[in-house]
Amino acid sequence: MPAVVVVGTQWGDEGKGKIVDLMTPFADVVVRYGGGANAGHTLVVDGHRVVFHLIPSGALHKQTRCVLGHGMVLDPEVLVAELEEMEARQLLAEGRVLISDRAHVVLPHHRLVDRLRDQGSKAIGTTHRGIGPCYEDKAARLGIRVFDLLHRERLRERLQANLERWRPVIAHFGEACPELDAMAERYLALGQKLSPWIGDTGHWLRRALDQGQRVLFEGAQGAMLDVDLGTYPYVTSSCVVASGASAGAGVSPLGIQRVVGVTKAYTTRVGGGPFPTELDDAMGEKLRSAGKEFGATTGRPRRCGWLDLVALRFAVQVNGVSELVMTKLDVLSGLGDLRLCVAYEYEGQRYEEVPPPEGWGEVKPIYEDFEGWSEPLEGCSDFAAFPAAARRYLARIEEVVGCPIRVVSVGADRRATLGLRDPFDGLPKLDVKPKAFSFKS
């Protein structure tokens, strides 16, 4: 059962989409297991920019199947638009995409409530895509699932109960709920458009793994945004760490044999919340400008800071990361001297692990300083060609975090990636001949 998970190890936006895209040729199936259209995975292929919010980043490879697991929350409007884009690019061959019938559906009033509540001094800084309210409905057992979109009476009944839950909240802000009949008809129509790709993804994936198919799980967001492990309450609404792949896709955790963590060479964050190494100065602006740090989903400028090794080590530990991929190392070229946060100071004590929950906003970073480099990295053919200062920077990160950096990205294009290998190489293989079977079989 060769399965590999790719996860973000910071506050998201680490460049997971590019890495999944590069690893997809080695996989038979790519799976999204959590989150929704709050994710934005940007790919640059032959100079052309492609952004996916729901469809797995591996969709550009025609030979690989794409699965949207039941742990996701799906906005049918966004999903239909992405499928139409795939079709226009001649990527939507029959049997290529399977959408879980158990995934929950983001509705118009979810987006409305998300926007209305995320205002003022206590705003978390969500993407306003309705993700949190949809997951609230899931936990409250009042959610609408993809399965419901295929059944008129069932959908109308459940929509009515769902609207009643949110009506007082929306009225409190002086707004009106969407009209039930119009919404029911609209979502029935979207359900019909999606119906060819809807099925039991958990059953299909278990069969695929039993037959020796190579499955690549694509995480969304980053470990420090995990609803349980992140900088709560400034987090997303789902489990985004590697263990979430099992729950969100319906497969055994014993099948996950390798976890690849993705980190930037520095740290960014979107929205509110603690950010110990944030640079609210000229250097922060240099990082933002050089790294083109603007959200793929919202377009918002990202907050930028030095690489936080305390948070990175924590993410490596809770995900069971066996190897790291570093993106955007090229952004640091020419910036001058660099810094790495190796510990925190909190209430007069040194912390080399994450602080107590109440301490996240109070910690002060403890830095080590490093000589920078001026040479561009884009033309380097291997790690040995990196400037000595860049190699020392990477070596110290490996030492503090306790995890090897196997792959380094030095540019947005697919080709600007060093050290890439088959992520399934060396994993145990079943002594079976994979059988061809369709999503519908």
Side-chain angles (χ1 to χ4, degrees):
M1 295 166 58
V4 173
V5 185
V6 177
V7 295
T9 58
Q10 297 169 297
W11 280 275
D13 307 310
E14 300 93 349
K16 298 179 294 297
K18 175 186 177 180
I19 302 309
V20 170
D21 172 60
L22 288 169
M23 291 181 172
T24 295
F26 303 105
D28 299 302
V29 186
V30 182
V31 185
R32 271 281 307 272
Y33 58 85
N38 52 338
H41 290 173
T42 304
L43 312 174
V44 179
V45 183
D46 297 328
H48 297 286
R49 185 172 178 267
V50 181
V51 180
F52 285 116
H53 297 284
L54 292 171
I55 300 291
S57 301
L60 296 182
H61 299 270
K62 295 182 179 181
Q63 82 287 356
T64 306
R65 291 168 175 174
C66 300
V67 173
L68 285 70
H70 58 251
M72 296 184 69
V73 290
L74 303 177
D75 186 326
E77 302 269 9
V78 175
L79 185 51
V80 166
E82 290 191 5
L83 289 168
E84 288 175 348
E85 180 175 348
M86 285 182 66
E87 187 172 27
R89 292 174 178 268
Q90 298 183 329
L91 296 170
L92 196 58
E94 184 178 356
R96 272 212 69 207
V97 176
L98 181 63
I99 302 163
S100 174
D101 51 11
R102 290 175 170 82
H104 281 249
V105 175
V106 176
L107 299 164
H109 49 284
H110 291 146
R111 296 192 296 270
L112 175 61
V113 168
D114 201 0
R115 176 177 58 82
L116 293 172
R117 291 196 306 198
D118 195 51
Q119 300 178 22
S121 60
K122 294 186 178 180
I124 290 175
T126 77
T127 59
H128 298 175
R129 294 299 183 98
I131 308 303
C134 185
Y135 274 117
E136 288 181 52
D137 279 346
K138 178 178 180 177
R141 305 176 186 87
L142 285 171
I144 309 299
R145 296 191 294 177
V146 169
F147 169 81
D148 298 322
L149 302 182
L150 306 179
H151 302 276
R152 178 179 294 275
E153 292 306 317
R154 178 183 175 86
L155 175 61
R156 196 179 189 287
E157 179 183 332
R158 295 194 64 82
L159 276 176
Q160 187 169 22
N162 190 271
L163 280 172
E164 289 307 311
R165 164 180 164 78
W166 291 112
R167 196 178 302 280
V169 176
I170 295 171
H172 171 75
F173 289 98
E175 298 277 350
C177 273
E179 200 274 322
L180 172 62
D181 291 335
M183 184 165 56
E185 291 305 313
R186 174 60 181 155
Y187 278 75
L188 279 168
L190 289 167
Q192 286 303 307
K193 288 185 178 181
L194 295 173
S195 62
W197 301 287
I198 295 173
D200 185 343
T201 55
H203 173 70
W204 190 91
L205 280 169
R206 292 188 292 273
R207 287 190 61 195
L209 288 166
D210 286 344
Q211 292 297 331
Q213 300 281 313
R214 295 165 297 174
V215 178
L216 184 65
F217 291 97
E218 175 182 1
Q221 292 84 43
M224 304 312 296
L225 291 174
D226 185 273
V227 68
D228 291 309
L229 299 169
T231 49
Y232 191 89
Y234 296 92
V235 293
T236 191
S237 303
S238 60
C239 175
V240 302
V241 295
S243 55
S246 172
V251 300
S252 168
L254 299 178
I256 298 170
Q257 298 167 334
R258 178 169 289 152
V259 180
V260 178
V262 185
T263 177
K264 280 179 182 167
Y266 48 97
T267 307
T268 64
R269 156 155 227 179
V270 173
F275 187 177
T277 64
E278 183 172 11
L279 294 169
D280 189 16
D281 57 13
M283 180 57 75
E285 186 54 45
K286 280 185 179 180
L287 283 171
R288 184 179 300 110
S289 177
K292 298 179 175 61
E293 294 296 349
F294 299 89
T297 297
T298 64
R300 291 180 293 181
R302 296 176 183 137
R303 301 156 65 190
C304 296
W306 297 120
L307 184 57
D308 186 336
L309 298 187
V310 181
L312 180 57
R313 182 171 54 232
F314 173 75
V316 165
Q317 292 169 349
V318 299
N319 283 286
V321 171
S322 51
E323 56 194 74
L324 283 168
V325 175
M326 175 168 285
T327 62
K328 295 199 171 184
L329 185 64
D330 55 300
V331 172
L332 301 184
S333 293
L335 289 184
D337 291 342
L338 307 174
R339 312 190 90 180
L340 289 172
C341 172
V342 297
Y344 297 148
E345 180 187 332
Y346 175 59
E347 294 186 337
Q349 296 185 36
R350 180 185 175 101
Y351 276 77
E352 295 187 354
E353 303 295 336
V354 296
E358 69 276 10
W360 263 119
E362 306 298 327
V363 299
K364 297 179 180 179
I366 298 174
Y367 287 115
E368 289 183 6
D369 294 326
F370 289 81
E371 177 190 3
W373 61 90
S374 58
E375 301 92 327
L377 303 183
E378 288 88 340
C380 294
S381 57
D382 55 41
F383 296 155
F386 283 172
R391 295 199 301 273
R392 287 193 293 269
Y393 184 79
L394 295 175
R396 182 57 175 154
I397 293 168
E398 291 181 327
E399 182 181 19
V400 174
V401 173
C403 187
I405 299 171
R406 299 292 191 199
V407 180
V408 176
S409 172
V410 292
D413 197 79
R414 279 174 171 171
R415 293 163 291 189
T417 311
L418 307 180
L420 184 73
R421 64 186 179 95
D422 180 350
F424 300 92
D425 185 43
L427 299 182
K429 296 180 180 179
L430 293 176
D431 187 21
V432 298
K433 182 178 181 181
K435 296 179 182 179
F437 57 94
S438 72
F439 282 147
K440 299 300 183 182
S441 64

